[in-house]
Amino acid sequence: MMKFFYAPNTCSIGIHVMLEEIGAPYESIKVDFLAKEQFSERFRSVNPKGKVPTLVRDDGSVLTEYQAMAFWLGRAFPEAGLLAEDLEAQTRALELLDFMVATVHMRGFTFVLVPKKFTPTEAAQQELTAHGREVIAAGFDRLAGILGEKEWLMGGYSIADPTLFYLTAWARLKDVPMPDALAAFHDRMLARPAVQRALKMVG
């Protein structure tokens, strides 16, 4: 059985949703960031990077980066329909994931969620937060344009949608404005049984 290491209010929820959509058996294991369990010998023995999400596959091998996990889940469980079969569509899905994770998440939300990680000065934290919000706003506008009138980013539901969901969930958590199209997308995601199950599991 796969083992999935996660922490609440992190990008882990995106992979959690994918696991629920796939329906394969897995064990969900919480890493308590408040107790600094990400630095514990127990967790570092699984993932020396000390990061979540972390996925231990049935054969004991470990995947540690969001995009790698999402791509593997889509390819390993094709019956779930989370990743198209043709190369161009797969490439475009990875392109979209990288934009959401590397730009909107890492260059945007990171500065909104944890500005104290980068500087102890309150004024500098406020500047970082403002910069992060600008990056998010530009990223959300781009994503809303990609979504357009569609229900899902790639047309059909895919690994891109749980990824966008963790960003819109953070937006709701931190009162970050969203275009109407993304707010409607978030509500559609909340209506999916897999999302409801994943949210219930993380508490």
Side-chain angles (χ1 to χ4, degrees):
M1 180 185 295
M2 292 185 289
K3 295 182 179 180
F4 179 63
F5 293 83
Y6 76 96
N9 296 323
T10 69
C11 63
S12 302
I13 189 63
I15 301 298
H16 232 143
V17 170
M18 292 181 212
L19 286 165
E20 287 297 320
E21 295 280 5
I22 285 164
Y26 71 97
E27 178 185 2
S28 187
I29 303 170
K30 178 181 175 180
V31 180
D32 189 343
F33 277 17
L34 293 178
K36 300 188 183 302
E37 286 184 355
Q38 68 270 37
F39 303 118
S40 68
E41 183 177 345
R42 170 179 168 268
F43 183 58
R44 288 295 181 104
S45 68
V46 177
N47 181 3
K49 299 175 185 177
K51 294 170 58 178
V52 295
T54 296
L55 183 66
V56 181
R57 296 180 288 189
D58 290 339
D59 64 359
S61 62
V62 180
L63 287 177
T64 61
E65 298 296 335
Y66 186 100
Q67 294 96 313
M69 276 178 268
F71 180 76
W72 180 78
L73 288 170
R75 284 294 303 271
F77 300 92
E79 64 278 5
L82 296 181
L83 190 64
E85 294 183 2
D86 67 283
L87 178 60
E88 178 64 15
Q90 291 179 1
T91 301
R92 292 302 183 184
L94 287 174
E95 179 184 41
L96 193 51
L97 255 67
D98 195 58
F99 175 69
M100 289 189 281
V101 176
T103 298
V104 184
H105 171 172
M106 297 303 298
R107 293 177 52 209
F109 273 106
T110 298
F111 296 131
V112 173
L113 295 169
V114 287
K116 293 181 181 179
K117 182 178 180 179
F118 302 97
T119 175
T121 307
E122 185 175 348
Q125 291 171 13
Q126 292 175 354
E127 290 180 4
L128 285 174
T129 299
H131 170 74
R133 284 177 173 268
E134 290 177 359
V135 172
I136 294 165
F140 273 0
D141 282 346
R142 181 169 183 80
L143 290 165
I146 293 169
L147 182 63
E149 299 296 322
K150 304 188 300 294
E151 281 193 325
W152 311 116
L153 282 169
M154 302 293 295
Y157 188 81
S158 74
I159 61 173
D161 299 300
T163 306
L164 177 55
F165 174 70
Y166 87 70
L167 296 174
T168 56
W170 281 348
R172 289 275 174 92
L173 179 68
K174 301 300 289 187
D175 293 323
V176 174
M178 283 188 284
D180 291 344
L182 296 193
F185 164 88
H186 185 79
D187 291 339
R188 284 195 296 276
M189 286 295 294
L190 289 175
R192 292 185 71 86
V195 174
Q196 294 170 10
R197 290 193 300 270
L199 290 173
K200 185 176 181 180
M201 291 180 71
V202 302

